[in-house]
Amino acid sequence: DPSFRVEEDNITWMIIDSGCNRHYLFRGDFLFRTENINVPIRGVGNNKVYATKQGLFMGYFRTSTVDGKSRWFPFESFGMLIPGGAVNLFSVSQATANGDNTVVHEGKPDSCMHGLYTRAGDFIPFEFCNETQLWWIPVMRKSEETTTIFTATTAASDITLDEGVALRSVVQNDDHD
């Protein structure tokens, strides 16, 4: 159940959000080449919430393949830091903005297809949480030690890292809703 695994080892969980136009993170260790900002974020109730950094959001998504095996798919995108936030938000509109990636929601949550098709042909499944009634996606931290970290935190022998493909959904930084 992802709602109880917002942070585990080197993996963070993000809520799939079709309403936000940026990837929002509450931890800065997924952001690289950052710059300090002070941008109000609207749409979070009546709370005053501010993004304090923006930069390159890098990590790995777990894929699902036709043969039933998985691997970690590297990606790069634009992200913003909201320190002290309770959850991370994965922006559907940002992930599909360049037209190379497609989000699919077909059928009931416990069956059919729910996830992101990448331009490289990989399918990254979303995970549904019955308790929260939300879709989630796990993201592993990108670092120089990614291979070592992955080996130490995963028992599945059929998952490998693929350094050759990047998911790029970078958009212009002109709207911070």
Side-chain angles (χ1 to χ4, degrees):
D1 184 348
S3 67
F4 298 109
R5 299 183 295 187
V6 173
E7 294 297 318
E8 61 181 29
D9 295 328
N10 294 303
I11 295 177
T12 194
W13 289 82
M14 298 183 79
I15 294 174
I16 306 300
D17 192 331
S18 60
C20 69
N21 64 358
R22 297 288 184 263
H23 302 304
Y24 295 119
L25 300 127
F26 68 84
R27 288 179 40 190
D29 54 349
F30 283 85
L31 291 175
F32 299 85
R33 292 182 273 195
T34 61
E35 65 178 330
N36 292 328
I37 59 172
N38 188 27
V39 176
I41 306 299
R42 293 187 295 268
V44 191
N46 293 328
N47 300 325
K48 288 190 176 192
V49 177
Y50 290 87
T52 60
K53 289 185 186 279
Q54 64 184 8
L56 186 61
F57 171 35
M58 298 172 69
Y60 290 88
F61 289 128
R62 190 180 351 238
T63 67
S64 177
T65 59
V66 176
D67 61 5
K69 295 186 176 185
S70 296
R71 66 187 178 98
W72 288 97
F73 184 87
F75 73 96
E76 297 176 356
S77 190
F78 177 81
M80 298 177 92
L81 176 67
I82 301 176
V87 295
N88 301 298
L89 299 178
F90 178 82
S91 169
V92 169
S93 61
Q94 185 172 339
T96 59
N98 61 7
D100 290 337
N101 309 305
T102 305
V103 169
V104 177
H105 277 293
E106 295 179 1
K108 297 179 180 177
D110 59 350
S111 62
C112 300
M113 299 290 286
H114 302 277
L116 178 76
Y117 275 107
T118 70
R119 70 170 176 255
D122 287 287
F123 182 71
I124 300 166
F126 299 153
E127 295 188 31
F128 187 74
C129 172
N130 286 316
E131 184 178 332
T132 62
Q133 296 291 297
L134 296 171
W135 290 96
W136 296 75
I137 189 169
V139 183
M140 187 172 75
R141 185 177 305 113
K142 180 168 179 59
S143 72
E144 294 178 12
E145 304 169 349
T146 301
T147 304
T148 305
I149 290 168
F150 178 74
T151 303
T153 60
T154 304
S157 60
D158 61 350
I159 300 177
T160 58
L161 290 174
D162 181 353
E163 296 286 348
V165 184
L167 169 66
R168 295 181 186 270
S169 57
V170 178
V171 294
Q172 295 297 316
N173 180 22
D174 56 0
D175 184 11
H176 300 288
D177 289 342

